[in-house]
């Protein structure tokens, strides 16, 4: 069954078409990549999937439900979590507090509970902290829980973002250029982590990435877009040898 | 006949009121356009302008008289003085925050502080009393059917139009105007291109403040009395005018001011609104507009990119 | 001034803080035994501004939203209680009604405007503040320009609250309650949501937090603080006048929050105290008090945006 189905998605900003008639399916428990040259419209497509942009035309089905018109927070609640291309942490809060934000949709205390602090609220707060610590442990930075997010090294800040996304307990995880700014060692750990997320947590993963080595290593299916349009789709091997993909990345022969 | 008379008379009143709003709205919009700051103190600069004009008229009245010559001198001196005051405010209060890229909220709170400082200074100096602006202009004018248009009214509308034309020329044709528009688009790129950004922002404050001062002097002459609190409400109104036209847009501010002036005078004639509810009517328009069409009539819609 | 403010740093441990807090509370409780009416009035007034500052701090400090018309909520509470007690209702019963009306005011003001950019929000709240004042001036039920007079002072379990000490203690209890509520809100799921939104609204939305609703809650809670304070204000003063709720009032409350440092509970309390005590101590400045405040506001924003109170960060 497809966890995500994108049909004829189009996004225009005034005269500029960022995403054009894009369709693809993502199977449950798969690891898929969306790739393409700079400015191909990958992040725009991502922002449509997560509700930050409203698609001009087209349909997005998540577990069979249309989400194209939903607001970002509703989409997260339904089970899609995302990370940002340029890490966007709550910088002046602790690492643990950052991850606790992910538990927001999985907890319920309201105004009265906050003021009166009934036992249910206290238990919930405890659970939020505990799950958040588990998420930090999962990405391997539990020891940094009490530090301010802004004081962490870049690689660790990325991990906080993953932990935060996992804390929303998603069914589908969207990673926007997760390898950007990481060194080779960290990239290898990232491959392992992505596989661990899928294998042990059963979360479907969709990533946008520039690093071809990483994409080829980790993805089971790849969708290639250029100028907002899909130009190829398939396994790493098939995509790698597709002449249109080569052309998009390297330019036409007579141009060079 | 009497309805026709009322409409025409109110049209003229609305046009005059609208000219004042436009002049103040221009400065609001210019400053917003260049540094994205809602300068709450802008209305108070208008008020200070009125008082400087009043003071100048008092000093020079003996020499130049309190007719057109004296008023013109008061207008120019007030524009210069308040323009410099605007630059001082920018340098002393806003630029330090811009330098360290302080959050927008800090800038806004600073602006509230500036507004408080200006109007309380004037309040202390005048003991919070109304000052009467005496001029020798009188009520002579020309008759359009049953309606009288005074020369004062004509001169004010013409003066406003001239100031606006001058501003238009300044923004479109001079190097300074071009630098202002460039900074509004991308201050960092301008810095790299060697434009003195701080100086240009200061100049924007000078121009915007002197336009407010011009409106202040004219309003003082036209209504005959001034008070320290007069800037607060007009600041709000001018902001409304700027939003109606599309904040950041110069022609928008001009148009917005006129529309608001006309709407408001029309509003006072409507049953249930009257003069007691006039301000509620204006703020109602503002709120509806911000909620349903925040880009205004001539403003460009911005796509927020992530 | 600086060295004075450093003193609390020495009590950095939790134990030290509890001890100093206990000493302050005991001093406050004992004060009316020795102080004259004037001192009690001034401190009661400071308590009153503390409640307002704690409420506005939820909006400005916790949620990071500008509100330049906070006095409107204060007005709603004061007029509700004023009108209802004059109609014969028991004061204590007017409070829940004032809370409901403040909540409605919070929703009416916040609902349509919270989607707006922060600077637009500032001006809209300013506009709403003015609308409230003008409405109060023009309506018959609110007593028009002269306002309401002759509001009866309340009684508690048959004991009439008339002495200045009665209101002193009453307002002190309110401050304690307000501080507890504010503290608990800040350290809760909702309090964190405010902080997430303040830091990065998009990231917060991506974490499943509804920005509009969360901000609206801040508005509503701020409104309730203002409304309840207004109710008590009405019976303490026995009169309510529209000019009490002018922009300068909103600016004063804002000033208290900024002085103490936005987002800090102790800051809001300290800020309100400085705000009220300063002009009393320096009586000679009289009329120019607001002028001084304006300048102080600018100076703080330039040199010490985190407020006068020293930052305690771990």
């Amino acid at each position: 069954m497809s966890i995500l189905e994108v049909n004829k998605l189009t996004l225009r900003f005034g005269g500029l078409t960022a995403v054009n008639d894009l369709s693809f399916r993502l199977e449950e428990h798969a690891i898929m990549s969306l790739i393409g040259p700079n400015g191909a419209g990958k992040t725009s497509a991502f922002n449509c999937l997560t509700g930050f942009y409203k698609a001009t035309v087209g349909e997005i089905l998540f577990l069979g439900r249309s989400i194209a018109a939903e607001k970002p927070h509703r989409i997260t609640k339904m089970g899609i979590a995302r990370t940002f291309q340029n890490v966007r942490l709550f910088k002046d809060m602790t690492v643990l507090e950052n991850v606790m934000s992910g538990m927001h949709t999985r907890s319920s205390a309201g105004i009265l509970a906050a003021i009166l602090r009934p036992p249910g609220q206290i238990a919930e707060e405890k659970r939020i902290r505990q799950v958040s610590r588990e998420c930090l442990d999962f990405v391997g930075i539990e020891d940094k829980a009490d530090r301010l997010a802004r004081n962490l090294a870049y690689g660790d800040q990325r991990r906080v973002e993953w932990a935060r996304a996992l804390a929303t307990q998603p069914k589908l995880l969207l990673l926007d250029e997760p390898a950007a700014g990481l060194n080779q060692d960290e990239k290898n750990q990232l491959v392992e982590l992505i596989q661990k997320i899928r294998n042990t947590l059963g979360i479907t993963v969709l990533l946008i990435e520039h690093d071809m080595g990483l994409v080829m290593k980790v993805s089971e299916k790849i969708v290639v877009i250029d100028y907002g349009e899909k130009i190829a789709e398939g396994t790493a091997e098939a995509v790698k040898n597709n002449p249109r993909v080569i052309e998009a990345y390297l330019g036409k022969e007579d141009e060079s | 006949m009497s309805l026709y008379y009322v409409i025409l008379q109110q049209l003229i009143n609305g046009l005059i009121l609208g000219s004042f709003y436009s002049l103040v709205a221009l400065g609001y919009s210019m400053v917003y356009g260049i540094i994205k700051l809602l300068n709450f103190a802008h209305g108070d600069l208008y008020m200070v302008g009125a008082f400087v004009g009043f003071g100048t008229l008092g000093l020079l009245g003996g020499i130049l008289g309190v007719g057109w010559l004296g008023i013109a001198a008061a207008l120019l001196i007030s524009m210069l003085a308040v323009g410099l005051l605007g630059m001082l405010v920018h340098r002393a209060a806003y630029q330090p925050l811009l330098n360290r890229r302080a959050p927008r909220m800090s800038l806004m709170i600073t602006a509230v502080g500036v507004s408080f400082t200006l109007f309380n200074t004037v309040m202390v100096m005048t003991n919070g009393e109304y000052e009467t602006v005496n001029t020798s202009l009188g009520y002579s004018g020309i008759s359009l059917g049953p309606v009288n248009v005074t020369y004062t009214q004509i001169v004010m509308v013409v003066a406003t139009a001239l100031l606006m034309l001058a501003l238009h020329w300044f923004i479109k044709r001079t190097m300074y105007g071009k630098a202002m528009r460039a900074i509004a688009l991308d201050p960092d790129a301008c810095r790299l291109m060697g434009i003195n950004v701080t100086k240009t922002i200061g100049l924007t404050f000078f121009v915007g403040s002197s336009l407010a001062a011009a409106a202040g002097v004219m309003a003082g002459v036209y209504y005959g009395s001034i008070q320290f609190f007069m800037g607060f409400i007009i600041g709000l109104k001018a902001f409304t005018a700027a939003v109606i036209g599309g904040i950041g847009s110069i022609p928008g501010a001009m148009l917005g001011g006129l529309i608001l002036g006309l709407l408001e005078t029309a509003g006072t004639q409507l049953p249930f609104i009257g003069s007691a509810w006039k301000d509620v009517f204006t703020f109602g328009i503002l709120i509806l507009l911000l909620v349903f069409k925040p880009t205004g009539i001539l403003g460009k819609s911005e796509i927020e990119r992530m | 001034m600086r060295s004075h403010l450093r003193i609390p740093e020495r009590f950095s441990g939790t134990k030290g803080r509890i001890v100093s807090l206990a000493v302050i509370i005991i001093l406050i409780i004992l004060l009316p035994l020795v102080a004259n009416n004037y001192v009690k009035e001034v401190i009661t007034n400071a308590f009153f501004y503390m409640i307002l500052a704690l409420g506005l701090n939820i909006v400005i400090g916790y949620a990071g939203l500008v509100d330049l018309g906070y006095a409107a909520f204060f007005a709603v509470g004061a007029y509700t209680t004023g009108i209802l007690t004059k109609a014969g209702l028991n004061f204590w019963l007017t409070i829940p009604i004032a809370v409901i009306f403040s909540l409605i005011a919070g929703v009416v003001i916040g609902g349509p405007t919270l989607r707006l950019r922060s600077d637009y929000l500032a001006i809209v709240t300013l506009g709403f503040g003015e609308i409230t004042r003008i409405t109060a001036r023009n309506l018959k039920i609110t007593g028009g320009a002269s306002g309401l007079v002759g509001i009866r002072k309340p009684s508690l379990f048959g004991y009439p609250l008339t002495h200045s000490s009665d209101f002193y203690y009453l307002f002190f209890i309110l401050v304690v309650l307000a501080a507890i509520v504010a503290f608990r809100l800040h350290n809760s799921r909702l309090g964190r949501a405010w902080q997430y939104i303040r830091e990065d609204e998009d990231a917060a939305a991506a974490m499943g937090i509804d920005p509009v609703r969360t901000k609206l809650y801040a508005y509503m809670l701020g409104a309730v603080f203002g409304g309840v304070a207004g109710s008590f204000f009405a019976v303490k003063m026995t009169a309510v006048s529209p000019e009490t709720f002018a922009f300068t009032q909103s600016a004063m409350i804002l000033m208290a929050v900024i002085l103490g440092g936005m987002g800090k509970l102790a800051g809001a309390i300290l800020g309100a105290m400085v705000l009220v005590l300063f002009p009393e101590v320096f009586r000679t400045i009289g009329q120019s008090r607001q002028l001084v405040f304006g300048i102080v506001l600018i100076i703080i924003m330039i040199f010490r945006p985190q407020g006068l109170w020293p930052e305690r960060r771990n």
Side-chain angles (χ1 to χ4, degrees), chain B residues 36 42 64 74 80 97 102 104 106 114 139 245 248-250 269 282:
Chain B
K36 303 285 174 286
H42 195 64
L64 300 173
L80 182 68
L97 282 101
R104 288 271 274 288
S106 307
V114 172
Y139 295 96
S249 153
I250 303 271
Q269 296 304 309
T282 311

Side-chain angles (χ1 to χ4, degrees), chain A residues 52 72-73 76 82 84 88 90-93 97 100-102 104-105 107-109 111 114-117 124-125 128 148 164 168, chain C residues 115 181 183-185 187-190 192-193 195-197 199-200 202-211 214 217 221 313-314:
Chain A
F52 282 95
H73 67 96
T76 307
R82 72 169 290 172
F84 292 90
R88 288 176 74 165
F90 308 114
K91 289 208 170 84
D92 286 319
M93 298 175 82
E97 283 171 332
M100 284 162 79
S101 69
H104 192 85
T105 57
S107 50
S108 63
I111 296 174
I115 297 171
L116 301 174
R117 295 203 173 167
E124 186 183 272
E125 281 291 302
I128 291 172
L148 276 189
R164 193 172 72 172
T168 67
Chain C
R115 283 159 230 265
V181 170
F183 176 81
R184 289 189 162 192
L185 282 170
N187 295 289
S188 72
R189 175 173 173 267
L190 180 59
R192 285 193 300 272
Q195 216 173 334
Y196 298 138
I197 287 184
E199 294 238 344
D200 187 334
D202 286 331
M207 291 298 109
I209 294 161
D210 182 346
T214 308
Y217 284 164
L221 283 161
R313 265 240 101 107
N314 35 354

